[in-house]
Each structure stands twice: as C-alpha cells, then as structure tokens.
Amino acid sequence: MRFQSTDSYVAPEDLIVAVNAAVALERPLLVKGEPGTGKTELAKQVAQSLGLPMLEWNIKSTTRAQQGLYEYDAVSRLRDSQLGEARVADVRNYIRKGKLWQAFEAEGKVVLLIDEIDKADIEFPNDLLQELDKMEFHVYETGETVRARHRPVVIITSNNEKELPDAFLRRCFFHYIKFPEAETLKAIVRVHFPGIKEALLTAALTQFYEIRETPGLKKKPSTSEVLDWLKLLLAEDLAPGDLKKDGATLLPKLHGALLKNEQDVHLFERLAFMARRQPGR
C-alpha cells in the first residue's frame, strides 16, 4: 500500500514520503500545520488512495480518551434494573464502543483519523499512549481484552494550540504541512477549478501571496480560504483587471473570504492611509 496524490488532492512529495513512512513503520502520523492547509482532508485522501474505509474521531475540549475506547452507561443499567428489564443481566448491552474499538474490531485495515488532538485536555494524549502503542485495551466491566485484528493507519492532526507530551511524540511519525509554494497552489486550484483562466489565476494568487506576506497580519489566509475566494471571483465573472485593490483601503475584492477579523481589515485601511500621506502620493 502506497499513498499518492489523487484526482482531488495534490500532495507535495514530502507529505507523500511522510504518509508512506508512517504506514511502513506502523506508527501514528502526527500532522501539524496552519488551519485550512488540508490536514483533515489528508486522512480522507489517504483512505481513498489506499482503498480503505475511514473512521473519524473529532476531538473537542470536553473529549476524554476513554470515549475513544468505550463508555459504560451505568445510569441506564440502574434504571433498567429498577424496571425489571431482562437485558440488564448482560453488561455488554450498556457499553458503547468508541472509535478505537471500532477500528480494532474492523474486518480489515482502516484509516483512523483523530482530528485536532490539541483541543483536548493536556493529559488526553498520554491517556492513549498504551492503546496506540500496543493496539489493545482492557474492558474492566466485562474482563475482556480488545486487540486490533488489523493495525489501523492512524492519522492525528493538531493546530498547535498546545504542546503535546514528549512521550506521545516519541510514538508518532511527525510531519508539518508547509503552506504550498505558488506552483503547488496553482495545481491545487486547477483540481478544484479546471476551467480557470491562467491570467486570472496568476493575478489572484499574486495578490493572495501579497496579503499573506503583509507584516502585522493576525491570521494569514489559508488554502481553503483562497479556494473560497476564487470561487467567488469566478461566480462574479471578474477579470484580472477587476482585482485592483481599492485605493482607499488597499483591500482586495471580496476580502471577506480572505480576512476573518476586524484587526486585519483595519490593518489594510491603516496601510492605505499611511501610503496616501507619503510625499508624492
């Protein structure tokens, strides 16, 4: 099994190497990068490229590691025992399998995405160390040990909101998705908008990279945001000449697709004001 770019996903060579290395080592692939650089989409494309089903575990600030294994509903069992329900005799009726259990008991190999692990409590990664390393866990209520029939391809994403423990990092193959170079970004755009004219694409991406490189920007626009912006430009049937910035603000056309907070909008307004005050302007 080897991962390659797909018809709908352009993967740089270093990312392809990282995915295949993690698969060969049978270690979780920890993927970091700016929000919107395609970390979550990577797992879907790996599953598609390798021809495997995918399970997705979306992590929130309240998510506990135990939920990935299983949850025991003691309250429902107590209620059923009070009502005289027959099903109360089997504790398995009150155990809800988590995503890791589902991945472990799957008939074949699957891709397991643990998405945005850095949203959870700092102890969350440590609580999964043994399970991801040994590919097994114990169910205390039934006394059974659940072992993976086939070691899943585990992809873990992080937006770098908090540091992950060293012990956890040692068990992962790490890759940072860099923001794509202009030619790679052009290839990504052509996958989504195959009919886009070269002149419009060049003008739009030139302006986009100028925005990203503006000093003082709080949130740089990402790949997903430039795709949204281009979709709007095409919907409005704008030509390259229509992309000229508003001289009063220096803001690009339809800037709401690229700039997502008022500080960055005000930044371009201040830059325009300073430019007008310069001699000869």
Side-chain angles (χ1 to χ4, degrees):
M1 294 192 304
R2 289 192 63 80
F3 169 67
Q4 295 290 339
S5 294
T6 67
D7 292 340
S8 58
Y9 189 85
V10 178
E13 185 60 31
D14 61 341
L15 179 56
I16 292 173
V17 170
V19 171
N20 289 320
V23 172
L25 291 171
E26 295 189 325
R27 288 191 176 274
L29 174 63
L30 174 61
V31 184
K32 292 186 179 182
E34 296 178 29
T37 49
K39 298 185 297 297
T40 302
E41 184 64 22
L42 170 65
K44 299 175 183 177
Q45 297 300 331
V46 168
Q48 179 181 325
S49 177
L50 301 181
L52 301 176
M54 191 184 90
L55 294 173
E56 188 170 351
W57 186 15
N58 296 301
I59 307 303
K60 302 177 181 178
S61 60
T62 55
T63 303
R64 295 176 293 106
Q66 180 65 30
Q67 292 172 308
L69 308 179
Y70 69 92
E71 290 184 280
Y72 169 54
D73 192 350
V75 174
S76 292
R77 193 181 189 197
L78 175 61
R79 183 180 63 245
D80 287 349
S81 68
Q82 294 171 337
L83 296 173
E85 295 283 350
R87 67 194 302 267
V88 76
D90 189 353
V91 69
R92 289 177 176 82
N93 291 324
Y94 302 93
I95 290 177
R96 183 167 65 238
K97 298 175 181 179
K99 296 297 183 181
L100 264 74
W101 190 331
Q102 294 173 37
F104 285 4
E105 72 173 5
E107 294 294 332
K109 186 180 283 288
V110 302
V111 173
L112 173 63
L113 170 63
I114 304 177
D115 201 23
E116 299 189 338
I117 194 171
D118 52 325
K119 281 187 175 179
D121 184 85
I122 189 62
E123 290 303 319
F124 179 92
N126 281 333
D127 292 342
L128 289 177
L129 283 179
Q130 295 302 317
E131 289 77 10
L132 290 176
D133 197 26
K134 296 183 177 180
M135 286 288 149
E136 65 177 41
F137 63 89
H138 186 69
V139 183
Y140 296 99
E141 289 76 11
T142 64
E144 65 182 308
T145 298
V146 177
R147 295 184 177 88
R149 295 183 183 180
H150 306 274
R151 195 176 187 99
V153 176
V154 181
I155 298 177
I156 303 169
T157 72
S158 169
N159 287 327
N160 235 2
E161 291 183 8
K162 61 170 69 81
E163 289 295 322
L164 299 174
D166 289 344
F168 180 80
L169 295 175
R170 283 198 300 272
R171 288 165 168 82
C172 297
F173 189 93
F174 172 76
H175 183 74
Y176 184 87
I177 298 182
K178 296 178 290 188
F179 194 81
E181 302 287 341
E183 287 306 310
T184 303
L185 188 54
K186 279 187 176 183
I188 292 170
V189 170
R190 290 192 186 100
V191 165
H192 292 269
F193 309 109
I196 191 169
K197 294 180 180 178
E198 184 66 25
L200 176 62
L201 177 57
T202 300
L205 291 189
T206 298
Q207 192 172 115
F208 171 74
Y209 277 104
E210 287 176 356
I211 293 169
R212 271 189 60 87
E213 293 164 9
T214 301
L217 204 62
K218 182 177 180 182
K219 182 193 178 303
K220 295 182 178 181
S222 66
T223 308
S224 63
E225 287 155 347
V226 73
L227 292 175
D228 286 344
W229 185 51
L230 286 166
K231 184 176 181 179
L232 290 174
L233 298 182
L234 291 170
E236 294 292 327
D237 197 23
L238 297 181
D242 298 325
L243 300 186
K244 292 180 180 178
K245 297 176 184 177
D246 180 352
T249 64
L250 293 182
L251 288 168
K253 298 285 186 183
L254 302 166
H255 64 269
L258 298 175
L259 304 176
K260 298 303 176 77
N261 59 70
E262 64 277 12
Q263 294 97 317
D264 288 342
V265 173
H266 292 159
L267 171 64
F268 281 90
E269 292 172 343
R270 289 196 301 273
L271 291 173
F273 175 74
M274 291 169 62
R276 290 196 300 271
R277 294 187 61 184
Q278 290 179 5
R281 295 283 180 132

